[in-house]
Each structure stands twice: as C-alpha cells, then as structure tokens.
C-alpha cells in the first residue's frame, strides 16, 4: 500500500499544496514551524479521520477558511483508489472512490498508517490514557467491528455515569434503569476486552522477536494487559461477564459515592516487562525507547499480516531521537518493504541507503517543493 499523490486545501498552514510521492522513501526537509509535521498529520488524518495531535478538528482548518480538505490517491493491491476527507465546522465528510461513507467507522481501516513521532516514545512512560489510545487506534485499523463495539461501550458508559453523577452520595440509591445499563455495560465491556486480548496476543508474537533483535539478544519483552476490575484474563468471555458483574455489585456503593464508573476498559492499562522488570518503573530511557520502537515495528508486521499489505509508515522527527544502532535497525527493517515518510531539519549525518536514495522535498511557509 502506498500513497501516490497528496493534495491539501486550507489545511493548517497550507492554502493549497500538492505532491507526488515515491513508493519507497520520501523525506521532508525544512526548518521548524514550516509545516513538515502538518503534512505527516494530513496523511494520518486521511487514514484515521482524526489527528494524533489534537482532538479539536477545527484546529486542522486554515485560519479564516470555511473548511479544510485532504485528498490522496492510494495504491492498494487491487489498484489506485482516491480518498477524500473534508473537515468543516459541521463535522467531517469522507469519500472513498468518490463515494461518501455514511459512517466514519466504515471509512477507517481502508488506508493503513503507522505513525512514529517523539511523543510515541511516551508510550511506555506516559499515562494509561496514551496506551489505551494506542490500543484503540491500532485495533480500529484492522477491525471495524472493534470501533463499533468501542463506540457502543462509550455510549453506555456515558449514560451509566450520568445516573451515578445524578445520585452521587445517595446511600439509598436503587434504580431499575441503572441495573439495565449495568447489564448492557458488562456486555459491551467484554466485547471490547475480547478484541483487546486478541490484539495483544498478536502484538506480543511480533514485538518479542523484534525487541530481542534490537537488544542484541539480551532482552525478552513481555506485554501484559492490566485489568482494573481484577478479572482472570485466562478465563474467557463468559467468566469475564460473571466476574465483572460481581465486581460492579460489590463496588456499587463506592461508585455512587464517587459518582462515576470505576471499573472497565476505560480504566485499563498495558504493562511492558523486559526480563521480568516493569520497564515503565525500572527501565532505563534506552530500554523504554527500544520497547516503543519494537511496538511500532511490530505494528507494521501485524497490520501487514491482518490486512494483506504493509501500511504506510510516518516517521515524524524521530530519527534524531534514536541512537545510531536503533536508527540503523529501524531503517534496515523498512528498506524496500514499506512506503515511508520522514521529516527532518537536515539529512546530514543520515548515511543509510534508505535516506540517501529517498525522494526529497523542501518545505517552507506552507509550500512543498520537490528537490532534484
């Protein structure tokens, strides 16, 4: 899978811009704050219908413009397909092959990307929210059903929280609607949990050997799902339902006191262990970076396996963050396999074939110019 052309209209600092890309490596050069990351973000948004940098879509529209538009021709194994995403004050409109998609959850997953930016190095040491977002975005790319299940769960969570908030601190609280929502909540939570567990199993199978290679055979990576409800993850969906129901019954008073749902997928987390030590707590910065890099490279392989073709890789200002060994390992892994986009202020010092043979673009004040 690779993107052949990209056209931007009123997107961030781009009034109008277009570029044709190599199916191998494309490097965007330029000083900071010229719009390099905005191009990366635009490719990501075209695939995922949301930004990795902001949850406020209005920020993506150029100042004083009515709407922003991203268009891209994406080559897949069956041919080239035009994608189009329009962002306005009213919301988003997505088209694939000129046909408007009725739901964004049907749109996501038809173009696959893996983004690796400096903030992804926070995947290990950042907040649980960062890791949950990672799970949701990546599973959503390979499983449209997951997005639907997640939206259902979030809807029921909102309704359940609303009742808890209304009755916060009420010791004699007893509500038939709340019991119904709790039953639906358990059903929806278990669906989300099931998909997450399947994904982690796949991610583990790819990330472990990759990490072993990057650490020169010295480290063994283990990924574990941390379930706030204390569910026995080795049991199975039916037992999970029973265990979560029991947990919610026992903690009902606590939830009413706090006015919110305390246990479920919205509170869960991922843990990473290297040689049985928790990397977040005990790992060096190098080990945390190796773990983050292993996860991103595993993601490429996992999407390739599940979708049948490799995703597009976006390396936003990340090469300078990696030491020579990790940088070389990353570039060796992607060489001639994955269409890659790289942003950097300079290619000086980047001597790997992948970079020296890349198609170069100069980015300045919201313009993209191919360098010959």
């Amino acid at each position: 899978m690779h993107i052949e052309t990209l056209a931007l209209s009123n997107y961030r600092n781009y009034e109008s811009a277009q570029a044709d890309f190599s199916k191998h490596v494309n490097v965007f050069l330029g000083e900071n704050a010229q719009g390099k990351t905005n191009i990366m973000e635009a490719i990501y948004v075209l695939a995922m219908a949301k930004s990795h940098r902001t949850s406020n879509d209005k920020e993506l529209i150029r100042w004083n413009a009515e709407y922003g538009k991203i268009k891209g021709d994406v080559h897949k194994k069956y041919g080239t397909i035009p994608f189009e995403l329009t962002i306005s004050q009213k919301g988003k409109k997505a088209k694939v092959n000129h046909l408007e998609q009725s739901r964004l959850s049907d749109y996501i997953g038809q173009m696959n990307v893996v983004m690796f930016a400096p903030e992804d190095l926070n995947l290990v040491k950042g907040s649980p929210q960062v890791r949950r977002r990672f799970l949701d975005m990546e599973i959503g790319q390979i499983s449209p059903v997951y997005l639907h299940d997640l939206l259902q769960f979030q809807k029921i969570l909102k309704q359940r929280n609303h009742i808890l908030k209304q009755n916060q601190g009420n010791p004699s609280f007893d509500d038939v609607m709340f019991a119904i929502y709790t039953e639906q909540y358990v059903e929806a939570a278990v669906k989300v949990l099931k998909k997450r567990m399947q994904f982690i199993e796949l991610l583990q199978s790819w990330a472990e050997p990759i990490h072993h290679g990057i650490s020169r055979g010295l480290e063994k990576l283990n990924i574990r799902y941390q379930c706030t409800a204390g569910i026995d993850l080795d049991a199975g969906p039916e037992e999970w339902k029973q265990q979560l129901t029991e947990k919610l019954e026992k903690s009902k008073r606590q939830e009413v006191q706090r006015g919110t749902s305390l246990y479920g997928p919205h509170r869960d987390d991922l843990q990473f262990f290297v040689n049985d030590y928790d990397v977040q707590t005990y790992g060096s910065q190098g080990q945390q970076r190796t773990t983050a890099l292993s996860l991103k490279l595993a993601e490429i392989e996992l999407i390739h396996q599940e979708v049948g073709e490799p995703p597009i890789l976006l390396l936003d200002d990340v090469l300078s963050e990696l030491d020579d060994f990790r940088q070389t390992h990353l570039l060796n892994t992607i060489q001639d396999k994955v269409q890659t986009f790289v942003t950097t202020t300079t290619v000086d010092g980047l001597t790997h074939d992948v970079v020296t043979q890349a198609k170069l673009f100069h980015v300045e004040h919201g313009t993209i110019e191919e360098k010959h």
Side-chain angles (χ1 to χ4, degrees):
M1 184 182 303
H2 63 271
I3 183 165
E4 294 175 342
T5 62
L6 182 74
L8 305 178
S9 307
N10 295 324
Y11 184 87
R12 293 278 193 182
N13 67 327
Y14 290 92
E15 185 178 359
S16 176
Q18 186 166 335
D20 300 328
F21 300 127
S22 156
K23 65 178 180 182
H24 300 298
V25 179
N26 302 274
V27 176
F28 299 112
L29 291 160
E31 296 302 316
N32 291 328
Q34 300 301 305
K36 299 191 302 292
T37 293
N38 292 346
I39 304 168
M40 296 294 225
E41 180 190 44
I43 297 170
Y44 186 90
V45 172
L46 187 64
M48 303 297 286
K50 57 159 59 172
S51 168
H52 64 295
R53 293 155 79 198
T54 177
S55 53
N56 182 1
D57 292 333
K58 288 170 190 161
E59 289 177 23
L60 308 179
I61 305 168
R62 192 166 181 266
W63 184 249
N64 279 342
E66 297 276 308
Y67 65 89
K69 188 177 279 190
I70 313 164
K71 289 165 105 171
D73 291 324
V74 180
H75 185 85
K76 297 177 77 173
K77 54 188 171 188
Y78 305 116
T80 299
I81 301 165
F83 280 72
E84 185 181 303
L85 191 74
T86 307
I87 305 145
S88 68
Q89 306 293 340
K90 292 176 191 165
K92 286 175 281 209
K93 254 187 205 170
K95 288 182 183 175
V96 178
N97 215 0
H98 309 293
L99 297 171
E100 193 171 324
Q101 307 293 291
S102 53
R103 295 187 309 188
L104 284 176
S105 56
D106 293 335
Y107 174 80
I108 298 163
Q110 298 195 59
M111 171 185 170
N112 304 107
V113 294
V114 169
M115 164 71 82
F116 195 20
E119 58 264 29
D120 290 307
L121 295 166
N122 284 329
L123 195 55
V124 177
K125 61 180 181 181
S127 68
Q129 195 179 351
V130 172
R131 289 180 286 280
R132 284 194 297 270
R133 181 185 160 87
F134 163 75
L135 275 178
D136 294 340
M137 298 301 271
E138 303 325 323
I139 304 170
Q141 283 204 69
I142 57 172
S143 171
V145 174
Y146 178 76
L147 284 180
H148 179 261
D149 290 343
L150 185 67
L151 286 170
Q152 281 298 105
F153 170 75
Q154 287 167 342
K155 207 163 125 187
I156 297 162
L157 171 67
K158 200 175 172 184
Q159 291 163 328
R160 192 175 187 269
N161 279 348
H162 180 66
I163 295 178
L164 284 168
K165 194 79 186 155
Q166 278 184 320
N167 294 278
Q168 190 171 358
N170 176 3
S172 56
F173 168 63
D174 191 23
D175 187 281
V176 177
M177 266 326 281
F178 183 71
I180 292 166
Y181 280 138
T182 299
E183 205 175 301
Q184 292 176 348
Y185 177 84
V186 169
E187 288 283 336
V190 166
K191 281 182 184 173
V192 169
L193 189 56
K194 189 179 169 187
K195 277 273 183 289
R196 284 185 180 179
M197 294 309 295
Q198 288 168 347
F199 176 77
I200 288 162
E201 202 176 311
L202 284 172
L203 190 64
Q204 172 73 38
S205 69
W206 285 109
E208 191 183 322
I210 289 170
H211 189 101
H212 193 254
I214 303 174
S215 66
R216 299 176 172 93
L218 297 173
E219 295 176 357
K220 185 181 188 321
L221 174 66
N222 213 313
I223 306 167
R224 289 182 207 162
Y225 189 79
Q226 201 178 14
C227 192
T228 47
I231 288 168
D232 175 10
L233 295 171
D234 293 328
E238 286 310 310
E239 286 91 337
W240 295 347
K241 280 181 199 172
Q242 197 181 329
Q243 288 173 20
L244 183 55
T245 303
E246 285 168 10
K247 181 72 178 178
L248 293 174
E249 277 169 11
K250 280 181 192 164
S251 57
K252 185 179 171 186
R253 186 179 288 181
Q254 195 187 1
E255 288 193 321
V256 172
Q257 197 62 41
R258 299 273 291 275
T260 190
S261 303
L262 297 173
Y263 304 99
H266 64 297
R267 300 255 179 169
D268 292 351
D269 198 359
L270 277 182
Q271 280 180 300
F272 307 106
F273 291 85
V274 166
N275 295 346
D276 296 326
Y277 286 98
D278 184 340
V279 189
Q280 187 181 21
T281 312
Y282 302 106
S284 65
Q285 190 186 34
Q287 285 174 319
Q288 290 176 348
R289 290 189 165 202
T290 299
T291 302
L293 178 57
S294 302
L295 291 169
K296 287 290 165 182
L297 293 176
E299 223 181 296
I300 295 169
E301 301 293 354
L302 196 158
I303 290 173
H304 191 171
Q305 177 193 320
E306 294 298 302
V307 175
E309 50 190 329
I312 294 158
L313 177 63
L314 307 171
L315 300 175
D316 188 17
D317 204 22
V318 85
L319 291 181
S320 58
E321 297 280 332
L322 299 171
D323 61 28
D324 289 349
F325 180 76
R326 289 185 184 89
Q327 202 181 87
T328 303
H329 194 97
L330 167 61
L331 295 171
N332 284 345
T333 306
I334 62 172
Q335 194 160 17
D336 299 328
K337 284 189 202 163
V338 184
Q339 186 189 31
T340 305
F341 293 87
V342 178
T343 62
T344 181
T345 48
T346 176
V347 283
D348 296 347
L350 297 174
T351 55
H352 197 286
D353 292 351
V354 167
V355 179
T356 55
Q357 292 165 14
K359 191 170 186 179
L360 301 179
F361 296 88
H362 188 254
V363 177
E364 192 174 9
H365 298 310
T367 60
I368 310 168
E369 204 175 292
E370 191 180 331
K371 287 184 82 173
H372 296 287

